[in-house]
């Protein structure tokens, strides 16, 4: 499974435009870490996006793309409207990328 994180908007929008999405491949992760990521992805895919106001000044938005077995799933949410499962996946990905 390959997971890609792209960040858009916010106060650093001009900087983020120049940065490529961050990506990771579960084949390069230890089995237990890959399993944890797979569980977070499954929960985020299963949880519907929350229906509430989606506009906020300078809010960040996030696109997480999951490629698995020839299938691609794109999840998009923002700081203004984010499901708990998406937030958990986003937090996990940010921590992982900070450690690289």
């Amino acid at each position: 499974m390959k997971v890609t994180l792209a960040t858009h908007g916010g106060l650093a929008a001009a900087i983020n435009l120049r940065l490529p999405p961050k990506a990771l491949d579960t084949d390069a992760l230890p089995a237990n870490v890959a399993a944890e990521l797979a569980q977070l992805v499954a929960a985020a895919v299963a949880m519907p996006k929350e229906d509430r106001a989606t506009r906020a000044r300078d809010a960040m938005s996030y696109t997480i793309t999951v490629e698995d077995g020839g299938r691609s799933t794109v999840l998009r949410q923002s700081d203004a409207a984010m499901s708990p499962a998406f937030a958990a996946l986003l937090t996990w990905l940010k921590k992982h990328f900070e450690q690289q």
Side-chain angles (χ1 to χ4, degrees):
M1 176 171 59
K2 181 179 177 183
V3 180
T4 307
L5 171 64
T7 305
H8 314 282
L11 295 174
I15 295 169
N16 288 333
L17 282 175
R18 296 185 187 117
L19 297 176
K22 296 178 181 178
L24 66 92
D25 193 330
T26 57
D27 291 341
L29 299 174
N32 62 327
V33 176
E36 180 182 8
L37 176 57
Q39 289 175 346
L40 289 167
V41 166
V45 168
M47 172 102 29
K49 182 178 171 184
E50 291 189 4
D51 289 329
R52 58 182 166 141
T54 58
R55 301 197 88 168
R57 187 178 187 123
D58 296 324
M60 298 290 292
S61 62
Y62 309 93
T63 303
I64 298 174
T65 305
V66 181
E67 298 172 18
D68 190 18
R71 200 176 33 178
S72 182
T73 303
V74 178
L75 305 170
R76 288 185 183 95
Q77 295 192 20
S78 73
D79 287 338
M82 187 179 300
S83 72
F86 187 93
L89 174 59
L90 179 62
T91 299
W92 190 97
L93 288 169
K94 285 182 174 182
K95 284 181 184 177
H96 176 79
F97 290 130
E98 286 174 2
Q99 294 172 357
Q100 289 184 331

